[in-house]
Structures are given as structure tokens and as C-alpha cells.
Amino acid sequence: MSIQTNYWLIQKGFVDPAYTQLVADLTAIVHNTPNVHIEFIDFIPFSIDYEIPKHISKFDNIMVYGTQSLIDYLKRKHYYPVAYSNPNFSVVEWQHQLGDELLNFDSFTDELGKMKPMYDVFFVRPVEDNKLIAGTIFTKQEFIDWKNRVLAIDDYCTVTKKTLFCQSKLQDIENEYRFFIADNQVVTASKYVSSGSVIYSTDVPVALYEYVSSIMDIWHPEIAYCMDIAELADGTLKVIEYNCINTCGLYAADTYQYALALTKLLVHNES
């Protein structure tokens, strides 16, 4: 009988400082954690496949940090990555669970092929957290032009006329924050937008932690996840969205605490 081994499988190719720090922190954590190893993975040249290290078995326990396409590839190859993603990562489910605590709780959902602009300027994103495209602000004409381009290549595009999107009115957002949650605990947090500009900072007011705690009392989409919070111009706090913790941007998060929390879940998941 083979012995199950725990692996952190890290996708290569990221260049931001948080990724570099994550690798350093994981290396230190793995060095002091029995039966946990770190490996790196990249595309096979001239291919859409990934080069999985040969010594990793399909029976091993794998924690992933990388893209959704890597997670999907491992699943197709019958590996079982610890990647915290499920149907709860959907705008429709967030509307159901959170009501008006969700920033865009009144957004309209439809298949792309049927969607018509509801506002002069508006925000559009996929219903699911599948990273097909980033959320985008459109004018009516911009949306129509983009939609027509997508539908013209419908059979050759990951976004099709049947893909569900939601559109919502623009919000007056002052600041945006990301909270990293594992096993019912906030393990770290980061500001990533301030006054409309991208800025990564550990300056997260206590009131934000209190608000996130109140939302955690309502619902969890997974045992580990990210929750993004908007602070509106009038001081109101709302949930923007939830994200898969294995594929998220780390911003100014404490990557040691992030890595430590997920390593504990990896080991706990060992059977």
C-alpha cells in the first residue's frame, strides 16, 4: 500500500512580490512540517498541458496555488487537488445567502446572448467565479460591440452565448479590502484599492474585521476562501464577492499566515 504524501504544488510564472514571499514562507513552513513537500509546476512548452512532477501520485494530497486552469487540468487528469472551489462561488448564490449585504444584490443575470444593457454605464462580470474574464465597466455601445465580437467566435471561445453574466449599476466605492479566511478564522487581510487607485496596504481598520465577522456568522461558501469588502463613499460596508483562496491575488497579505493556515488544512485533509 502506498503512503500518501502531502504536496504544495505552486504554479510558476508569477512575478509579483507577494508570490516571491509566499514561496519563501512556504519553504520555511514545509521544512518544519513532517510529510509536507513543495513542488513547482509549469506549462509543457508549445502545449496547454502542465508538466506534473512524476513522483507525485494520484493518491497524494495536493494543495494548489495557481490558476483555475491548473486546478481544472489536475482534476481532468484525476489528481485530487485541495482547491477550495465549488458552486457556492456564484453571484446568484451570494444574492440568496447575503441579500442586501451583497454590494450588487440587485444585479440582473442572463445568458450573454440574451443580455441587453440596462444602464448607460454599468458593471459586467461572469456569474461564477471561473476567471473567464475580469469584471469590466462598459458603456452601452462598448458592451454591444464586445458582445458581438464574442458571439462572432462563439464556437472557439471560452465565453459563449450561453455563458451566464450579471450586470449592475456602478457603485461609489472609496476603498476595497480582501480578507483571507480559513477554518472559520480571518488569517490575514489587505487593502487593495484606495480612492479609486490600486494600492496594496496592511492598513485595515478594526471596523472592517468586525463587519467580516458578522458576515461569517451568516454564511461560509467553503472552509477556506477570500471575501472582498467595499467601503462606500458614505462609509457603508458591503460584500463585493467571494474568491477561491487557491487562485486569488495576495496583495499585501501576510503570506506566512496564509501559507500556515492552508498547510494545516492540507495536513488535516490527509487520509
Side-chain angles (χ1 to χ4, degrees), residues 100-233:
D100 63 5
E101 291 299 337
L102 184 67
L103 178 66
N104 294 319
F105 77 98
D106 55 353
S107 61
F108 297 92
T109 298
D110 207 343
E111 294 176 357
L112 179 60
K114 299 177 181 177
M115 182 170 280
K116 300 182 185 303
M118 305 291 292
Y119 308 98
D120 291 332
V121 182
F122 53 98
F123 178 77
V124 173
R125 59 154 291 161
V127 166
E128 297 180 1
D129 180 35
N130 49 25
K131 306 297 188 289
L132 289 178
I133 68 164
T136 305
I137 295 173
F138 288 107
T139 64
K140 280 186 178 181
Q141 192 58 52
E142 287 171 343
F143 175 76
I144 291 169
D145 292 344
W146 171 78
K147 173 182 167 181
N148 289 339
R149 287 196 300 272
V150 171
L151 297 184
I153 56 172
D154 187 57
D155 293 336
Y156 307 96
C157 187
T158 53
V159 176
T160 74
K161 63 185 178 182
K162 294 290 187 181
T163 305
L164 288 174
F165 280 82
C166 60
Q167 63 171 298
S168 53
K169 61 188 176 184
L170 297 187
Q171 304 280 357
D172 191 6
I173 300 174
E174 185 70 19
N175 299 305
E176 297 181 33
Y177 303 85
R178 173 161 293 175
F179 286 78
F180 300 78
I181 296 159
D183 200 17
N184 203 32
Q185 300 290 326
V186 173
V187 296
T188 183
S190 172
K191 176 187 281 188
Y192 62 93
V193 171
S194 180
S195 301
S197 299
V198 173
I199 179 170
Y200 299 162
S201 169
T202 58
D203 181 20
V204 181
V206 172
L208 271 293
Y209 283 89
E210 293 172 346
Y211 177 73
V212 167
S213 179
S214 72
I215 298 299
M216 290 165 61
D217 287 340
I218 297 173
W219 184 65
H220 294 273
E222 250 290 7
I223 191 170
Y225 57 94
C226 294
M227 186 194 306
D228 290 353
I229 303 296
E231 181 182 9
L232 303 182

Side-chain angles (χ1 to χ4, degrees), residues 11-26:
Q11 187 168 346
K12 295 180 181 178
F14 299 101
V15 296
D16 59 289
Y19 172 83
T20 303
Q21 188 60 51
L22 173 65
V23 170
D25 290 335
L26 268 174

Side-chain angles (χ1 to χ4, degrees), residues 43-48:
F43 284 109
I44 297 172
F46 311 107
S47 168
I48 60 171

